[in-house]
Amino acid sequence: MRTIFHITHKSDWETAQRNGRYEADTLKLEGFIHLSRPHQVLKVGEFLFKGMSGLLLLQVHQELVNSEVKYEGEKNNLFPHIYGPLNLEAVVGVHEFRDSGDGFSFPNGFSLIGDTLIRKGLPGDEAELASCHTHAWQQSYRGLVPDQVLDSRPLSFRRRMLWWKSVVRGKTPATVFVAESAENGIIGFCAVEPARDEGHSGKGEVTAIYCLNEYKGKGIGAALFQVAKDHLKERNFPTMYLWVLKDNPTIKFYRNMGGNQMIEEKTIDLGGLLTEIGFEWDITGRE
């Protein structure tokens, strides 16, 4: 899925809902509707909508747009343009867009790290999620898990994709947040759900957090972790926890994120018995 955005007025969106399609003024004047990639939208807001109220930010799934989409403009700053009406099915999110006086910011649940958008996973993300999951798993566990286990991971791609499809369609207890690079699509994710371990009932659990090696060290993992933590806090989970292989270098990341190591450990079988340790966070606001 490729996410693009369009800023509009509430009244224009209400008109679109009555008409069954969205048409901006520029469609008649210039022949296309202006949109922005995630890393462009705040600058567009400052330039064209500063001081205005009653604005909405339309989150558009580019692959669902029926009209032709072209990327045009300066070579290093191409903008998406829709040459025709915007079908409402392609609008996968509608969010209030406010100028706080200090400028526009993304709505809750979104953040931007460079040109990488942090957002909730949506239908259409399942193939990229499965691909990222497979490759990041291989990268992260090379040297920790037997090579034959890692090398067999692509064979489970279809099963993994179907699992993520059920997650993004709300058919499981899990919620996933993705890091979507403007150029390369989903390059990281963090999944959370109510605790699966009997001894941790009532807590929220981070069941997976991965980022491709090429994007590590850029703050993307921390941003994914934070939005997932906020999600659990909003749902009144008092504590969040996760399991990590005892010899995994990412333990340093969890310590840096304020995690407290739990006393208990557990054993899993990944081509051999391996030990996992747990980290937990108080997310009630007392920390």
Side-chain angles (χ1 to χ4, degrees), residues 40-267:
Q40 297 168 325
V41 70
L42 297 183
K43 291 181 179 178
V44 170
E46 289 296 304
F47 184 65
L48 296 176
F49 297 91
K50 190 172 180 63
M52 294 185 186
S53 59
L55 298 175
L56 295 175
L57 185 64
L58 305 186
Q59 181 184 357
V60 178
H61 184 335
Q62 181 180 314
E63 282 76 24
L64 295 180
V65 176
N66 291 334
S67 300
E68 183 179 15
V69 180
K70 295 182 181 180
Y71 281 75
E72 299 173 312
E74 299 177 6
K75 184 177 180 180
N76 296 322
N77 195 32
L78 299 175
F79 283 83
H81 295 153
I82 297 178
Y83 279 79
L86 172 60
N87 51 302
L88 302 189
E89 301 81 24
V91 180
V92 294
V94 179
H95 311 274
E96 291 194 358
F97 195 53
R98 295 191 181 96
D99 182 353
S100 65
D102 295 323
F104 287 95
S105 59
F106 276 104
N108 290 340
F110 293 90
S111 61
L112 192 67
I113 308 296
D115 69 351
T116 298
L117 180 70
I118 310 298
R119 61 169 175 81
K120 185 178 179 181
L122 295 170
D125 287 331
E126 51 268 17
E128 289 186 34
L129 270 166
S131 176
C132 179
H133 196 176
T134 298
H135 288 94
W137 209 90
Q138 289 178 316
Q139 290 177 344
S140 297
Y141 294 121
R142 189 69 66 182
L144 298 173
V145 172
D147 285 350
Q148 64 267 27
V149 175
L150 296 174
D151 294 340
S152 69
R153 279 310 190 190
L155 299 176
S156 67
F157 179 85
R158 182 177 182 276
R159 176 167 49 82
R160 198 173 301 275
M161 185 180 71
L162 291 175
W163 160 252
W164 285 118
K165 184 176 182 179
S166 67
V167 171
V168 296
R169 294 179 184 275
K171 296 182 179 180
T172 76
T175 300
V176 64
F177 296 91
V178 303
E180 180 188 0
S181 161
E183 298 302 323
N184 297 313
I186 293 174
I187 51 80
F189 64 90
C190 182
V192 293
E193 62 182 273
R196 299 172 299 174
D197 299 285
E198 187 174 327
H200 293 271
S201 179
K203 299 179 182 179
E205 181 181 0
V206 177
T207 55
I209 178 167
Y210 291 101
C211 188
L212 295 177
N213 282 351
E214 297 84 346
Y215 286 85
K216 289 180 178 178
K218 300 178 183 293
I220 292 170
L224 282 168
F225 190 87
Q226 186 61 52
V227 73
K229 182 179 176 182
D230 291 343
H231 172 80
L232 291 174
K233 183 176 180 179
E234 288 169 4
R235 281 148 186 79
N236 298 316
F237 287 95
T239 306
M240 177 177 80
Y241 78 102
L242 57 78
W243 296 103
V244 58
L245 288 180
K246 193 171 186 177
D247 297 324
N248 195 325
T250 58
I251 286 174
K252 182 179 178 181
F253 170 79
Y254 300 124
R255 294 193 194 280
N256 289 340
M257 297 303 295
N260 298 308
Q261 186 172 337
M262 299 189 294
I263 297 174
E264 62 186 296
E265 298 180 351
K266 71 177 185 178
T267 302

